[in-house]
Amino acid sequence: MPTQPKVPKPIAAKSTPLRAPLTAKNTRRCIRARDGVEIFIDVLSSAPAADRGAVFVTLPTIERTAREFAPFAHRLCETRSATVFSINGRGRGGSGSGNYGHTKDADDLLDILTGLGIEHAHFVASGYGGLVAMSLAASRPGAMLALTLVDSAPALDATGLARLQYRLRREPSYAGREQALDRLSTYEHKHFPNATEQLFGQMLDAAYCSGTVKKQERWIPDMQADYLKRLTDLDLSESLTPRWNLFTGLASVPMMIVQPQGSTLVGKPVFQKMLSARKKSTVSTHHMSLADQGSTPILHGKLCDAVIDFHLKGPADR
């Protein structure tokens, strides 16, 4: 019988000892994409003037904004000299409208790296954002120092996106943040049974904001109207083409794969296939399995520390 390939064992989250917190500064940058659309990037930096320290680029999943990575950015900048560029994909977080799709998001990423003068960076991406990050394999492979994929894969499952569509269609807005938080925690409790109210609040704030609907203040998805319509109308039978070539193109990039055991976005066989494929890689692969978590977990606490340690420890320590 053929020998089964060995798969890297999951690693346990390690806590990074806190130093005296560094002072971090928030700014916002705007980069005009090649088709004229304005893309906004939230920047948090604890590095001294004229020095960016460790440079990170984060890419949120399909319904979230750059705020998805706010807890991670603050955790990193409390303990390291670093700069985190958190991208608001087109149609979200104030970024402009235009043509949408994976190709456009990939082009935007290249324009952002050029516009910000980023030659090399650590990348952290979740869900759909992982597909955008993987696109660098074909265009600028040398730009990626290391990549963390959170609940992300080259082949996404329609179940997770269908759940999102159902929620957005059923309740497109809420009377206020309190109602929105109650609905979200009720809807997601099965997939995050041990989540605190604070964690559910971070999930909510990563995707929602205060807005006006028919002259009434409501809590709404932080999306442009055309992006929201496209997301709710997306034909899942045609939009989930696997892109394994992008994943295998990252064989020379150190990678951390974060697998929520309750994921509805990436099936367990797909995670297994990813880990098997990484056995051919010449660099390190870390696999972190998260019990009692679904799609898509926010980086917080010990999970933050594990990702930071993976990226900033030396190759021999990975």
Side-chain angles (χ1 to χ4, degrees):
M1 294 180 66
T3 303
Q4 293 295 320
K6 294 182 179 179
V7 175
K9 294 181 179 179
I11 61 171
K14 296 180 180 179
S15 179
T16 302
L18 282 176
R19 309 170 188 174
L22 299 177
T23 301
K25 180 182 179 182
N26 275 299
T27 55
R28 176 167 261 220
R29 298 286 301 273
C30 177
I31 297 296
R32 190 176 295 276
R34 63 191 69 182
D35 62 354
V37 173
E38 291 185 333
I39 307 295
F40 286 94
I41 301 98
D42 295 341
V43 185
L44 185 71
S45 181
S46 58
D51 178 15
R52 287 175 167 176
V55 176
F56 281 74
V57 175
T58 66
L59 294 151
T61 192
I62 197 165
E63 82 277 16
R64 291 176 177 169
T65 69
R67 296 190 297 275
E68 175 178 359
F69 291 100
F72 170 77
H74 283 279
R75 182 74 167 179
L76 172 62
C77 290
E78 281 179 353
T79 58
R80 305 288 200 285
S81 175
T83 302
V84 184
F85 296 93
S86 297
I87 297 173
N88 290 285
R90 56 174 59 203
R92 290 166 284 160
S95 291
S97 299
N99 294 326
Y100 295 110
H102 170 262
T103 301
K104 283 297 180 184
D105 288 321
D107 287 345
D108 290 347
L109 179 56
L110 289 173
D111 294 340
I112 289 165
L113 296 179
T114 301
L116 295 175
I118 298 173
E119 295 184 3
H120 310 287
H122 300 269
F123 286 76
V124 183
S126 71
Y128 171 79
L131 287 174
V132 181
M134 290 179 214
S135 68
L136 284 182
S139 50
R140 282 184 59 183
M144 192 172 290
L145 298 174
L147 170 64
T148 290
L149 295 174
V150 182
D151 194 26
S152 185
L156 300 180
D157 194 315
T159 304
L161 293 176
R163 290 183 68 245
L164 172 63
Q165 288 181 327
Y166 172 77
R167 181 155 52 89
L168 290 172
R169 289 168 180 162
R170 183 181 180 186
E171 294 187 288
S173 69
Y174 302 93
R177 186 178 185 276
E178 184 176 349
Q179 185 190 59
L181 181 57
D182 177 70
R183 296 285 200 278
L184 176 67
S185 58
T186 299
Y187 189 70
E188 294 289 359
H189 177 73
K190 177 182 177 181
H191 299 277
F192 295 89
N194 297 318
T196 62
E197 182 176 341
Q198 179 184 13
L199 187 56
F200 280 127
Q202 290 172 345
M203 292 181 186
L204 175 69
D205 295 338
Y208 284 76
C209 65
S210 177
T212 302
V213 178
K214 295 181 180 179
K215 298 183 180 181
Q216 291 186 333
E217 186 174 344
R218 305 279 292 179
W219 209 255
I220 61 175
D222 193 357
M223 304 174 189
Q224 299 284 0
D226 59 343
Y227 183 88
L228 177 60
K229 185 177 188 305
R230 176 181 179 272
L231 188 56
T232 54
D233 293 346
L234 198 63
D235 184 348
L236 301 182
S237 66
E238 298 180 358
S239 60
L240 298 174
T241 303
R243 296 182 174 89
W244 284 100
N245 61 312
L246 298 181
F247 183 77
T248 55
L250 294 170
S252 62
V253 177
M255 185 180 296
M256 182 173 185
I257 298 172
V258 179
Q259 176 185 359
Q261 286 297 319
S263 175
T264 57
L265 193 59
V266 183
K268 291 181 180 179
V270 174
F271 276 121
Q272 190 73 17
K273 184 176 179 179
M274 291 168 68
L275 294 169
S276 296
R278 288 293 295 182
K279 290 299 294 180
K280 301 177 182 178
S281 175
T282 58
V283 293
S284 62
T285 301
H286 277 196
H287 172 218
M288 188 169 183
S289 180
L290 305 178
D292 301 325
Q293 295 207 45
S295 295
T296 296
I298 295 283
L299 293 184
H300 69 287
K302 292 182 179 180
L303 178 55
C304 268
D305 294 336
V307 174
I308 292 169
D309 285 349
F310 169 74
H311 281 269
L312 297 185
K313 282 187 173 181
D317 299 321
R318 286 201 179 108

